[in-house]
């Protein structure tokens, strides 16, 4: 690797010193102004604290104190046979379509693959913003890139420091069969990397596509991935989004999926959080068109000292919308899992059908789960429900398995896998489903020799629920 060595800086120092500058010298004027405004936002508001309701359960001190470097502009020169990257990429399935890889926050062309598909345009963000890309740069990606005001300082920091990303556009009526796979890899080389990436996505009217994002890294790699995906779904469009996070437990992960849905569009989302010291998977959906449909499934499995935070905000602005959130957490050791779901039904948004469900399984006396499903309803013709539970494995179900000769430790693993299997099975059968199932199973069943037997046995124990609610 020939990248120059950069000075390290903490996130707190970035905010205090306003030490953020445009990442590309050819940035158009509107983007330069936007970056400066974002810097001002960070300096003025500071980073979120636990005094804020949406951040009250997350301890950010370690993240804010860590010294990072920001990656240089331009693509990475990592080779296809790189001793670290090659075996890391071998962990993920080949989904057959376009594969965009970012290594330590930089686009890595040698290990990426662009598959030409009619109706699909995938462009590196730096290329889309180049002076010769369009007359102003803004008419190509600006509207997709900018969005509303920052939701918090990490969102503003992302806009200020974004130097890489991918712009995805699907033409009206196009059906993209093979998924677009965006992969983020930390190698652990050199100083910890602060990688700020932004992926604008636009799905045309009556178009369909699947976007898969994977984030992982070498054992012990210390870095922070701060990634924003902004998707706009045209009328009748469908986006299947799969977010797979399995970072090393030394890394930090901050992601924001921001989606705007037009009439009759559908968002089918899935989040799987297994890794990172601190992981925050934020989802914000705005249904602005009538009869939109949103369904998001989530799974988080923190253990050790891991913190997994899942703030979800779904806003219904138009009539006839449907939204579903189903999240399950399995927390062990001193892990901490948080579900913070909010559904807002705005005035005039009649005939809404909305439901959110969060269930948590605690595997140790020191595990912690916080769940806050909330409804804010400003219309009268709606159907909205929510529910949450936190508990432990059911003694009767454990007895059922032990009476059939299953050892206690294995019986607990069987019941735990059965508890999350419902979420895993929402992914259609195929390489991606098998990959997620293997990751979750490996987390719950470290012994490979007994893993398959446990999965089979789990299928015979239906209706696994926590035995108590607090």
């Amino acid at each position: 690797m020939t990248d120059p060595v950069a000075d390290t800086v903490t996130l707190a120092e970035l905010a205090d010193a306003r030490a953020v500058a445009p990442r590309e010298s050819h940035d158009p004027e509107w983007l330069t102004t936007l970056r400066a405004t974002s810097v001002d936002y960070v300096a003025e508001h500071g980073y979120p604290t636990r005094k804020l309701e949406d951040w009250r359960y997350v301890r950010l001190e370690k993240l804010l104190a860590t010294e990072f470097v920001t990656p240089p502009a331009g693509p990475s020169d990592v080779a296809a046979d790189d001793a670290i990257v090659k075996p890391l990429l071998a962990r993920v399935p080949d989904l057959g379509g376009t594969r965009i890889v970012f290594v330590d926050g930089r686009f890595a062309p040698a290990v990426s693959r662009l598959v030409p598909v009619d109706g699909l345009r995938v462009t590196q963000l730096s290329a889309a913003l180049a002076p010769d890309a369009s007359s102003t740069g803004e008419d190509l990606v600006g509207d997709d890139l900018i969005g509303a005001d920052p939701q918090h300082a990490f969102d503003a920091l992302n806009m200020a420091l974004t130097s890489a990303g991918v712009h995805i556009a699907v033409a009206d009526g196009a059906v993209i069969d093979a998924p677009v796979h965006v992969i983020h890899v930390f190698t652990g080389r050199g100083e910890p990397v602060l990688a700020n990436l932004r992926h604008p996505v636009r799905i045309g009217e009556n178009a369909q596509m699947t976007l898969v994002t994977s984030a992982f890294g070498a054992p012990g790699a210390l870095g922070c991935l701060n990634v924003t995906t902004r998707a706009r779904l045209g009328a009748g469009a469908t986006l299947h989004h799969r977010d797979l996070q399995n970072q090393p437990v030394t890394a930090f992960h901050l992601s924001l999926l921001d989606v705007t849905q037009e009439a009759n569009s559908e968002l089918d989302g899935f989040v799987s959080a297994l890794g990172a010291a601190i992981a925050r998977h934020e989802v914000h959906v705005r249904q602005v068109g009538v009869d939109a449909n949103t369904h998001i499934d989530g799974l988080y499995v923190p253990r050790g000292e891991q913190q997994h935070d899942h703030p979800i905000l779904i806003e219904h602005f138009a009539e006839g919308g449907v939204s579903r959130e189903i999240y399950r957490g399995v927390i062990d050791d001193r892990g901490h899992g948080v579900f913070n779901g909010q559904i807002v039904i705005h005035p005039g948004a009649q005939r809404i059908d909305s439901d959110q469900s969060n269930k948590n399984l605690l595997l140790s006396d020191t595990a912690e789960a916080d769940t806050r499903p909330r409804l804010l309803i400003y219309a009268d013709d709606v159907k909205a429900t929510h529910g949450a539970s936190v508990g432990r494995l059911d003694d009767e179900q454990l007895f059922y398995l032990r009476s059939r000769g299953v050892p206690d430790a294995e019986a607990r693993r069987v019941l735990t896998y059965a508890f999350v299997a419902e979420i895993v099975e929402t992914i259609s059968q195929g390489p991606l489903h098998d990959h997620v199932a293997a990751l979750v199973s490996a987390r719950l069943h470290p012994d490979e020799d007994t893993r398959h037997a446990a999965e089979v046995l789990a299928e015979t124990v239906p209706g696994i629920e926590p035995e108590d609610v607090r």
Side-chain angles (χ1 to χ4, degrees):
M1 303 293 290
T2 59
D3 299 338
V5 177
D7 294 332
T8 60
V9 63
T10 66
L11 294 182
E13 290 169 341
L14 281 176
D16 291 342
R18 302 194 181 195
V20 183
R23 303 298 300 162
E24 300 280 0
S25 60
H26 60 241
D27 278 347
E29 183 177 353
W30 64 267
L31 182 55
T32 300
T33 301
L34 179 62
R35 292 191 192 278
T37 302
S38 300
V39 173
D40 290 340
Y41 181 97
V42 178
E44 178 181 353
H45 293 84
Y47 296 103
T49 70
R50 300 182 72 181
K51 294 181 180 180
L52 300 175
E53 278 297 310
D54 285 345
W55 295 81
R56 63 181 297 188
Y57 301 109
V58 185
R59 300 181 297 275
L60 297 173
E61 294 83 2
K62 185 176 180 181
L63 169 61
L64 297 178
T66 301
E67 294 189 341
F68 296 101
V69 298
T70 54
S76 170
D77 60 2
V78 66
D81 60 351
D82 184 271
I84 295 179
V85 175
K86 183 178 180 179
L88 285 175
L89 292 178
R91 297 181 185 177
V92 297
D94 188 339
L95 303 179
T98 290
R99 177 167 161 152
I100 304 295
V101 181
F102 294 90
V103 175
D104 292 330
R106 304 172 68 195
F107 171 56
V111 290
S112 298
R113 179 184 66 213
L114 185 62
V115 177
V117 178
D118 290 341
L120 174 66
R121 185 181 66 207
V122 179
T123 310
Q124 288 304 308
L125 195 57
S126 57
L129 293 171
D132 58 352
S134 63
S135 58
T136 66
E138 189 170 10
D139 58 353
L140 180 62
V141 297
D143 189 42
D144 295 340
L145 182 74
I146 299 172
D149 293 335
Q151 301 188 34
H152 44 69
F154 292 111
D155 186 20
L157 185 72
N158 177 279
M159 187 66 257
L161 277 176
T162 291
S163 61
V166 59
H167 181 238
I168 300 172
V170 182
D172 291 349
V175 177
I176 312 304
D177 294 325
V180 174
H181 197 176
V182 179
I183 300 173
H184 303 281
V185 178
F186 280 136
T187 64
R189 290 189 176 105
E191 299 290 343
V193 173
L194 172 61
N196 292 277
L197 297 105
R198 207 166 184 92
H199 306 312
V201 179
R202 183 176 289 271
I203 314 296
E205 293 184 3
N206 300 309
Q208 299 180 32
M209 76 161 295
T210 298
L211 174 62
V212 179
T213 60
S214 296
F216 53 97
L222 204 168
C224 178
L225 178 62
N226 183 17
V227 58
T228 293
T229 301
R230 295 197 64 252
R232 299 194 175 208
L233 279 58
T238 298
L239 172 62
H240 303 282
H241 187 266
R242 307 288 181 254
D243 182 8
L244 314 180
Q245 187 270 114
N246 193 27
Q247 299 272 30
V249 295
T250 45
F252 306 99
H253 186 93
L254 304 170
S255 69
L256 169 61
L257 173 63
D258 188 290
V259 181
T260 301
Q261 294 185 243
E262 299 290 346
N264 298 293
S265 64
E266 179 178 355
L267 171 64
D268 166 34
F270 176 89
V271 178
S272 173
L274 302 179
I278 299 174
R280 180 177 168 95
H281 293 263
E282 188 171 356
V283 178
H284 187 181
V285 179
R286 303 171 190 84
Q287 290 189 359
V288 299
V290 299
D291 297 328
N293 192 323
T294 303
H295 190 125
I296 303 174
D297 294 308
L299 170 66
Y300 48 97
V301 192
R303 63 183 181 185
E305 300 285 339
Q306 289 178 292
Q307 302 177 58
H308 287 172
D309 186 20
H310 293 266
I312 303 99
L313 171 59
I314 298 178
E315 296 187 88
H316 294 270
F317 289 95
E319 294 186 351
V322 176
S323 61
R324 298 285 186 271
E325 301 168 41
I326 303 175
Y327 274 67
R328 292 207 172 186
V330 178
I331 303 108
D332 201 357
D333 303 324
R334 296 181 62 83
H336 187 187
V338 180
F339 173 84
N340 191 354
Q342 184 173 5
I343 294 174
V344 182
I345 303 176
H346 289 274
Q350 306 291 356
R351 299 185 295 104
I352 301 299
D353 183 358
S354 183
D355 179 64
Q356 54 183 177
S357 172
N358 175 232
K359 299 174 183 178
N360 296 273
L361 193 60
L362 304 182
L363 301 183
S364 75
D365 292 338
T366 53
E368 184 176 357
D370 289 287
T371 177
R372 298 178 68 226
R374 291 171 288 162
L375 300 171
L376 293 177
I377 302 173
Y378 302 102
D380 52 15
D381 183 11
V382 302
K383 177 184 177 182
T385 59
H386 63 189
S389 65
V390 179
R392 305 184 185 281
L393 291 173
D394 189 284
D395 289 337
E396 291 185 5
Q397 292 165 340
L398 284 170
F399 177 77
Y400 170 86
L401 291 177
R402 289 199 298 264
S403 67
R404 283 153 178 78
V406 181
D408 181 74
E410 189 59 25
R412 292 179 182 275
R413 287 193 290 265
V414 168
L415 292 176
T416 302
Y417 186 83
F419 178 73
V420 301
E422 175 189 355
I423 302 297
V424 175
E425 293 307 311
T426 61
I427 302 177
S428 299
Q429 293 290 328
L432 187 62
H433 167 275
D434 295 344
H435 175 61
V436 174
L439 288 177
V440 174
S441 184
R443 168 63 68 96
L444 300 176
H445 304 277
D447 185 354
E448 187 172 359
D449 292 337
T450 64
R451 189 177 304 160
H452 177 69
E455 293 170 2
V456 173
L457 188 56
E459 296 176 358
T460 71
V461 189
I464 306 300
E465 304 289 350
E467 68 175 0
D468 57 51
V469 178
R470 74 175 187 211

